[in-house]
Amino acid sequence: MRWLVGWSSTAARALGAETAGATGYDGETLRPVGSHLLWGDPDPLWAVGDWRPDEVRVVHADAENRIAVLGICGASDEELRRGLFTARGGALRHLTAWPGSYTAVVQAGRRITVCGDLAGARPVFHAPWEGGTAYATAALPLADLTEANLDFGHLAALLAAPEVPAALRDTTPYEGVRRVAPGHALVLRAGARDIVGYEPVASLAVAAPPADPDRAMDAVRDALVEAVRVRLAAPRHVPGLDPGPVPGMGPAERRAARGMPVPGIGADLSGGPASGTLALLAAGLPGRPGTLLGHGTGAGERLLAVTFNDLAVGGREAELERAGALAANPRLHHVVVTGAEDTLPYADLDGPLTDEPGPSLVTAARHRARLAAGSADHFTGHGARQVLDAHPARLADLLLDRQRRHLVRPVAALTRADGSVLVPARVYGAARRLSRTPYRTGLEALAERLMRRRFDEPKGAVGASLAALTWARPGPAARWLTGEALAEVSVLLQTGADRAAGGPGQRPGEFRARTVLARHAADLRVLEQAAEVRSQRLHAPFLDNQVVRACRDLPEALRVKPGARAAVLRTVLEGAGVTDLPPGWGTPSHASSAAAARTGLRLAADSLVDLFDTPLLADAGLVEARVVRKAVREAAAGEPLPLDGLADLVSLELWLSRLLARRGTCWTGTPARARAVPAGIAPQRGALRAGARPS
């Protein structure tokens, strides 16, 4: 894990950079373990973890004005200096408009500004500490610093309504540690904190001006190409020397067995449009895209393209065939990683402690098997579906903008999938109801559903679309929560409804799309930590700020067309000079993922039942152990239960067990007891009440 951490104190102390940090126990200096000081007191900032030299830049204007950028950023030092001067006057948006994925921290006198990203993949957290405010890009260091206990209200909301901001609010799994919402920045002035948004808010009084589809797609192409280009321009990294040969193993097998990625740049190549677009862009742009000569595969400058072939579950034959056709590009070096039953979901549940829980914990070993054969810098297509596809609730946005004619094609596609002549009336009626439903009413309806335990939803593609045509909906794991947990979340929603008289400031479809993106970005961050390969960096260009902005400017009429994502990415590739794509490129496929999850659950059913023999979730008052065990057995037997809900339960139970089993802390200058959740989980009723107080 890598993060930055610092604080803003109420009083200025005249300490030098060599002695930066507060005084801890026994006079020892309090500072993060394994940290590198970027600047010192009175408001110090540290970079923690295995940052590369080119990933950390600090530009000074003078002794009291400076900017730090951590991550991949395409701005030059002179652009950073100009950005510092502009931010000193209060303008922040330009700090997030450079290509790449990074966190920017600006110090102007005693004012500290930390910018989060638009998607939520690089979040910012803060907590009150010593009369001031501590901040970090990870929640666990702040929880250790403040000895925070678990926030049971947040954990309940994470299971009951994971895509509803009114339920999650700005809380984290740690009590007292807060999250800065995507698209916002944390501003600290001598210890006092403020949260400010840096994105302009569109008016709901009038419809947005019609956007030109061609110009919007050109903007997506330019942003995506620049996102790939800035990563190709970064220095190449060699993960370390190969210790020597192993009998019966080639260089690639030896490297994978030792957990060492291939030097250079590579990409996933699943056969889908997102990963294929990034691989072809990275291989086709000018420069040296791939592995280094003399290291690894001997492939020269060809881009390493990794395809995962699941031998335990079929259904991806067409995608694999398309991946093979794409890999015929002479600038690609294709590697196929095979997986058996030991790489199925739930097969290997051992792993490191992540900053927060996420459903990807049950599939981390599966991803690690693929990434171990990847490169030191590895492109992934995560986020493409969330930023490009149309959420079903966007149909209500079209009605609000009086663009009913654009509902014809998506409704026709649903009609063909369902085969019923009643589909158009049902979909149009649901979209019309949503367009006329206030946000507050939507929250109250969800609170009522949770209280009355109404979780049944229509089946099939049409049913999923109808269920999504709402301001808020329960999470897939909500049906297994205790009545007390659901009641606590219902109270949070009622409180949020009372505060949200004016609504979220967005149309329902746009609002739902942003919440889904934030949920996906948070889980991707968990996956990066859980499946981390030493010396490897995962790159998700679709989650870069500029790419997200360009995708948000795509017109609604273009988004709702069937196959819109593949059409946009095809246009992106054509603009970059790539036209020879295999037949069927862009065809969506989700059946294999669901089949793998069900097969893995069936094979691991006994171990999962043992996991919930005396679960920590039951000690926290969130579930009843026998209810979850029964659900695991029924799902393993083939009952039509929501598998993603079980993944939420299993991953949260795993995360709690890893958190309570850890030793040590993120800080020096504190005894071993000074860490998050020092007292563990005490079985008690009413455990949620303390964590469910509105902030």
Side-chain angles (χ1 to χ4, degrees), residues 57-389:
R57 286 195 290 165
V58 181
V59 175
H60 296 259
D62 52 52
E64 295 185 348
N65 296 274
R66 46 202 168 188
I67 180 173
V69 175
L70 290 88
I72 300 294
C73 179
S76 64
D77 286 353
E78 184 58 34
E79 289 175 317
L80 292 180
R81 190 171 288 107
R82 290 199 301 267
L84 169 60
F85 292 141
T86 307
R88 195 166 54 179
L92 300 180
R93 188 176 187 271
H94 68 285
L95 296 176
T96 67
W98 295 309
S101 178
Y102 56 89
T103 301
V105 184
V106 174
Q107 184 183 48
R110 293 302 311 281
R111 185 179 68 189
I112 303 289
T113 303
V114 191
C115 295
D117 66 338
L118 288 175
R122 301 183 71 93
V124 178
F125 305 90
H126 62 92
W129 182 74
E130 294 291 325
T133 300
Y135 63 91
T137 54
L140 183 57
L142 299 183
D144 280 345
L145 184 65
T146 60
E147 296 188 86
N149 287 310
L150 289 171
D151 188 336
F152 296 107
H154 175 85
L155 298 180
L158 201 61
L159 294 173
E163 295 178 2
V164 184
L168 296 173
R169 301 161 291 153
D170 62 347
T171 57
T172 67
Y174 313 100
E175 193 171 19
V177 179
R178 305 292 179 178
R179 181 195 313 272
V180 177
H184 290 70
L186 173 67
V187 180
L188 306 173
R189 296 177 178 87
R193 65 182 179 273
D194 189 20
I195 309 296
V196 298
Y198 55 74
E199 284 293 285
V201 179
S203 172
L204 294 180
V206 295
D212 181 12
D214 294 334
R215 295 183 61 181
M217 285 198 288
D218 288 345
V220 173
R221 180 200 62 208
D222 295 342
L224 202 53
V225 169
E226 192 60 30
V228 174
R229 194 192 307 276
V230 71
R231 289 166 170 87
L232 293 179
R236 298 293 187 268
H237 293 272
V238 178
L241 298 177
D242 192 336
V246 175
M249 282 190 178
E253 295 172 320
R254 189 166 65 241
R255 186 183 304 105
R258 288 169 174 162
M260 297 171 54
V262 177
I265 295 181
D268 284 339
L269 188 63
S270 66
S275 63
T277 297
L278 295 178
L280 293 174
L281 283 179
L285 290 176
R288 298 179 299 173
T291 57
L292 304 180
L293 284 169
H295 294 279
T297 62
E301 301 302 334
R302 290 191 289 167
L303 187 88
L304 180 66
V306 180
T307 298
F308 183 76
N309 183 13
D310 191 352
L311 300 180
V313 179
R316 295 189 62 242
E317 291 76 11
E319 284 192 3
L320 293 173
E321 185 177 348
R322 286 194 293 270
L326 291 172
N329 188 312
R331 300 198 72 178
L332 292 177
H333 175 64
H334 195 208
V335 173
V336 179
V337 178
T338 57
E341 291 184 354
D342 58 340
T343 61
L344 285 170
Y346 305 99
D348 182 5
L349 296 180
D350 292 330
L353 172 66
T354 56
D355 191 43
E356 296 181 279
S360 60
L361 289 180
V362 301
T363 59
R366 183 178 180 85
H367 290 282
R368 194 183 304 116
R370 181 188 82 254
L371 296 174
S375 298
D377 289 275
H378 199 76
F379 285 98
T380 68
H382 287 285
R385 179 176 292 109
Q386 287 71 27
V387 299
L388 288 173
D389 284 11

Side-chain angles (χ1 to χ4, degrees), residues 18 242 361 467 545 607:
E18 295 300 324
D242 192 336
L361 289 180
N545 284 341
S607 62

Side-chain angles (χ1 to χ4, degrees), residues 150-160 173 357 477 480-482 484-485 608 611-629 632 645-657 660 680-688:
L150 289 171
D151 188 336
F152 296 107
H154 175 85
L155 298 180
L158 201 61
L159 294 173
W480 295 301
L481 296 187
T482 61
E484 180 189 7
L608 294 179
L611 177 68
F612 286 97
D613 186 24
T614 55
L616 296 171
L617 287 174
D619 291 342
L622 298 177
V623 301
E624 292 185 13
R626 60 175 182 81
V627 173
V628 180
R629 292 196 297 266
V632 170
L646 288 175
D648 289 343
L649 289 174
V650 173
S651 60
L652 185 51
E653 178 67 23
L654 289 173
W655 182 81
L656 287 173
S657 63
L660 297 183
I681 299 178
Q684 56 181 332
R685 292 196 58 81
L688 303 179

Side-chain angles (χ1 to χ4, degrees), residues 570-584:
R570 186 185 294 272
T571 303
V572 168
L573 289 176
E574 289 175 351
V578 180
T579 57
D580 188 16
L581 297 175

